[in-house]
Amino acid sequence: MSGANSSSLTPAFFILNGIPGLETAHIWISLPFLLMYIIAVVGNCGLIYLIGHEETLHKPMYYFLALLSFTDVTLCTTTVPNMLCIFWFNLKEINFNACLAQMFFVHMLTGMESGVLMLMALDRYVAICYPLRYATILTNPVIAKAGFATFLRSVILIIPFTFLTKRLPYCRGNVIPHTYCDHMSVAKVSCGNVKVNAIYGLMAALLIGAFDICCISVSYTMILRAVVSLSSSDAQHKAFSTCTSHICAIVITYVPAFFTFFAHRFGGQSIPHHIHIIVANLYLLLPPTMNPIVYGVKTKQIREGVIKFLFGDKVGIS
């Protein structure tokens, strides 16, 4: 096997094959991915700077948004530059350990993103259901501890992926039909038994994704009850409008995630492989691209902060 260590059946490197079946269109496919990546980096870095610079945005909701932006820009940076090298320069080789590192960061950061969305749902729950105690409940130390706990959970649950994948013998070759090192895509190259990998992957998905979705659902159920109980329709609209950006972020994140998860396990041969790969890439690129746009359009304070930053005192904020 090319690049393999015959004594341990561990390859020196893998070959990331891009999007199988669409090799001739790689250049054209790369253009929207590049545009999305530029928007994601500029938008999320801009949000982080704006939240740190503008004192009116020094609130729990925006601290969580800054954490989400940092997670998003780091997530797409772990995959897109390498993907563009495959599409543009045919640089398909990736060192075995570098592949495992990329796999770890991809899954850890997607878990982190899910966790931050859950924290943002809890933030909205406290803000709407306990408005008078909002500032005393979500203090800066509490926010920092919640963010660190979410990060620690992702790291602890994803680290076993690297050990489970590294232990496998790779005697079928070293070609991965993907644009980045995904856990099961790498495991399926092995000639060993990947049942443990599949079971643990499902467990990790349940402990992260299912738990977060459950918390989000409970939070919004309580929010809906609190909003409906308000006597004024204007108060109801104002209260729930603070959640619209977060709801959009949830839909943008979880819809492609669900498609990728279920299609990968139950889609079989009914869904073409190149569709799997394209959606898997959109799963990593779409939330980082859309979240800054959604929050910039839907959130008045961020719009005002952008206008103030761009024009200063030259333009009045209505």
Side-chain angles (χ1 to χ4, degrees):
M1 179 178 66
S2 175
N5 181 329
S6 59
S7 63
S8 64
L9 295 177
T10 299
F13 58 84
F14 286 116
I15 304 293
L16 289 170
N17 222 17
I19 305 178
L22 297 178
E23 288 84 359
T24 56
H26 274 179
I27 293 295
W28 296 108
I29 294 171
S30 71
L31 298 180
F33 284 163
L34 174 63
L35 178 61
M36 292 173 72
Y37 180 61
I38 292 171
I39 294 171
V41 171
V42 173
N44 285 291
C45 290
L47 265 181
I48 293 169
Y49 176 80
L50 185 66
I51 291 168
H53 180 76
E54 192 63 42
E55 289 189 11
T56 58
L57 299 179
H58 291 179
K59 298 176 182 178
M61 172 184 172
Y62 302 108
Y63 290 146
F64 286 131
L65 178 57
L67 181 58
L68 180 67
S69 292
F70 177 78
T71 303
D72 280 345
V73 75
T74 308
L75 174 60
C76 59
T77 300
T78 61
T79 57
V80 176
N82 189 57
M83 181 201 314
L84 295 178
C85 287
I86 296 170
F87 289 162
W88 292 348
F89 310 114
N90 207 35
L91 298 176
K92 298 182 176 182
E93 290 186 8
I94 182 170
N95 179 272
F96 179 77
N97 289 324
C99 182
L100 294 184
Q102 185 186 57
M103 179 185 71
F104 167 77
F105 281 109
V106 165
H107 291 289
M108 185 274 288
L109 290 166
T110 52
M112 182 73 181
E113 182 176 48
S114 176
V116 175
L117 288 173
M118 181 264 292
L119 293 178
M120 294 174 81
L122 296 177
D123 166 79
R124 292 298 82 207
Y125 163 70
V126 174
I128 292 173
C129 297
Y130 302 97
L132 299 179
R133 298 173 56 196
Y134 180 63
T136 57
I137 293 174
L138 290 178
T139 60
N140 288 345
V142 169
I143 294 168
K145 289 175 183 176
F148 181 73
T150 303
F151 168 76
L152 198 61
R153 179 193 68 167
S154 295
V155 170
I156 291 172
L157 289 175
I158 300 304
I159 276 182
F161 281 3
T162 57
F163 296 105
L164 290 172
T165 306
K166 193 168 186 176
R167 71 181 175 84
L168 295 170
Y170 294 89
C171 49
R172 289 180 181 171
N174 59 349
V175 178
I176 301 173
H178 213 303
T179 55
Y180 61 88
C181 292
D182 172 77
H183 173 228
M184 288 309 298
S185 295
V186 175
K188 285 180 179 179
V189 177
S190 167
C191 56
N193 188 345
V194 299
K195 186 175 180 180
V196 175
N197 294 66
I199 292 173
Y200 186 78
L202 182 60
M203 285 177 53
L206 291 174
L207 289 172
I208 295 176
F211 175 80
D212 292 343
I213 291 170
C214 181
C215 289
I216 291 170
S217 300
V218 171
S219 296
Y220 273 100
T221 300
M222 301 300 290
I223 287 170
L224 192 59
R225 288 178 57 186
V227 171
V228 169
S229 66
L230 296 174
S231 57
S232 167
S233 59
D234 289 338
Q236 291 177 350
H237 175 74
K238 184 177 180 181
F240 204 70
S241 65
T242 63
C243 301
T244 54
S245 300
H246 183 244
I247 292 171
C248 290
I250 290 170
V251 172
I252 291 166
T253 300
Y254 284 114
V255 168
F258 282 143
F259 179 90
T260 301
F261 181 81
F262 288 111
H264 187 69
R265 284 162 177 78
F266 309 112
Q269 301 300 319
S270 60
I271 302 175
H273 190 63
H274 63 268
I275 299 296
H276 282 273
I277 306 302
I278 291 173
V279 174
N281 282 284
L282 289 176
Y283 164 51
L284 300 185
L285 261 174
L286 196 61
T289 303
M290 295 303 299
N291 285 341
I293 297 173
V294 167
Y295 276 93
V297 171
K298 294 283 188 180
T299 309
K300 180 183 177 183
Q301 291 87 342
I302 292 177
R303 289 200 308 271
E304 291 177 347
V306 171
I307 293 171
K308 183 178 178 182
F309 175 75
L310 293 176
F311 302 105
D313 297 326
K314 298 178 182 179
V315 178
I317 299 173
S318 59

